[in-house]
Amino acid sequence: DTINEAFRVLRTNVEFMMKNKDANVAALTSFNPGSGKTFLLANIAASFAIKDKKAVVIDLDLRRSSMGEYVGNPSTGIADYLAYKIDECPVVPVKGTDNLSIIPVGSIPPNPTELLYNERLEELIARLRKEYDYVFIDCPPVDIVADTTIIAKWTDMSIFVIRAELLEREMLPTIQAYYDEKKFNNMTMLLNGTSNGHGRYGYHYGYSRYGSQGYGYGKSNGYGYAVEDDEE
């Protein structure tokens, strides 16, 4: 259906931009909450799993813990691992799939930014690079905290999600500056929540600054993640 095809096209673009055999870590971020990045990330990762690619999603939005909802909100996760509360970082398989796993936040930490400097995180990402075909990282919005900038140095690609009718137009020059200054590795932009003539369901995907294509989607994405349009 339309939504499946939309994510197949997006998957193909991600594959193209990470065609280097050593490039397999991508991060999603946004400028403000409610852009839909967690919903998009869950579906992008699922689309790779359906293609028999082994994918893992790391939830490093340590203040919200959105990805944990897909695996039952475990009580322990990467925050506990980075805080040395547990010895092994939990990697939770998504039910109904053979190739998709999620590393949840676990306990919401009081010092999320400080945890990201822990050498355990760098070591974990390096290990996951070797164990999985694709590693996806859910990052917090860049206008709230500095976390994404810290995480970016370990990624090969950064997808910047912008939601139509949510981002203020005067913020576009700031995003342009991020691209020009190469603040985020291999930065590209994804425009979410556009109108396709049948309601506000859709996204546009732009390869860097050159062109875009539009695709609509309904409220069920065909991968088991049925999410309302106004939710992440």
Side-chain angles (χ1 to χ4, degrees):
D1 59 13
T2 303
I3 189 168
N4 286 347
E5 184 60 25
F7 281 104
R8 289 190 191 102
V9 173
L10 180 53
R11 179 185 64 200
T12 300
N13 279 278
V14 172
E15 287 178 314
F16 177 79
M17 294 188 68
M18 294 202 294
K19 58 185 177 181
N20 186 311
K21 66 177 182 179
D22 297 322
N24 65 344
V25 179
L28 264 75
T29 188
S30 60
F31 219 108
N32 33 27
S35 296
K37 65 177 176 60
T38 300
F39 166 73
L40 292 170
L41 178 55
N43 283 277
I44 293 170
S47 71
F48 277 97
I50 288 173
K51 197 182 176 183
D52 290 329
K53 298 294 184 180
K54 194 176 179 183
V56 62
V57 178
I58 309 173
D59 192 350
L60 286 181
D61 193 348
L62 300 179
R63 294 165 175 80
R64 296 194 62 182
S65 184
S66 300
M67 294 301 304
E69 296 177 4
Y70 295 119
V71 287
N73 287 319
S75 58
T76 58
I78 192 167
D80 304 276
Y81 175 69
L82 296 179
Y84 293 98
K85 294 181 179 179
I86 54 178
D87 294 329
E88 297 292 333
C89 185
V91 180
V92 186
V94 176
K95 291 183 179 179
T97 70
D98 296 325
N99 301 310
L100 180 60
S101 299
I102 290 175
I103 298 178
V105 170
S107 305
I108 300 296
N111 57 336
T113 301
E114 287 73 14
L115 289 182
L116 298 177
Y117 288 105
N118 191 316
E119 61 183 12
R120 271 190 162 191
L121 179 58
E122 183 176 5
E123 294 169 356
L124 175 65
I125 294 175
R127 175 164 56 85
L128 295 174
R129 275 184 181 275
K130 300 176 181 178
E131 296 178 359
Y132 289 85
D133 295 310
Y134 290 93
V135 179
F136 297 99
I137 303 176
D138 190 9
C139 298
V142 297
D143 68 329
I144 297 178
V145 291
D147 298 12
T148 302
T149 304
I150 300 170
I151 298 166
K153 61 185 178 181
W154 297 307
T155 65
D156 305 305
M157 176 184 181
S158 300
I159 300 176
F160 203 105
V161 179
I162 294 176
R163 191 182 184 95
E165 300 182 16
L166 178 63
L167 181 78
E168 298 294 334
R169 287 175 181 258
E170 54 265 28
M171 301 309 298
L172 290 175
T174 302
I175 297 174
Q176 181 68 51
Y178 290 159
Y179 177 85
D180 293 338
E181 297 166 4
K182 294 180 169 49
K183 187 171 183 178
F184 303 105
N185 294 331
N186 206 9
M187 178 178 165
T188 189
M189 186 176 73
L190 191 153
L191 179 60
N192 185 33
T194 60
S195 174
N196 62 7
H198 303 286
R200 277 190 68 248
Y201 299 90
Y203 73 78
H204 281 72
Y205 178 78
Y207 171 61
S208 295
R209 296 164 59 192
Y210 306 102
S212 64
Q213 294 175 304
Y215 306 91
Y217 58 75
K219 292 188 179 182
S220 175
N221 61 27
Y223 297 133
Y225 301 126
V227 181
E228 294 293 329
D229 183 56
D230 290 333
E231 297 180 5
E232 284 201 35

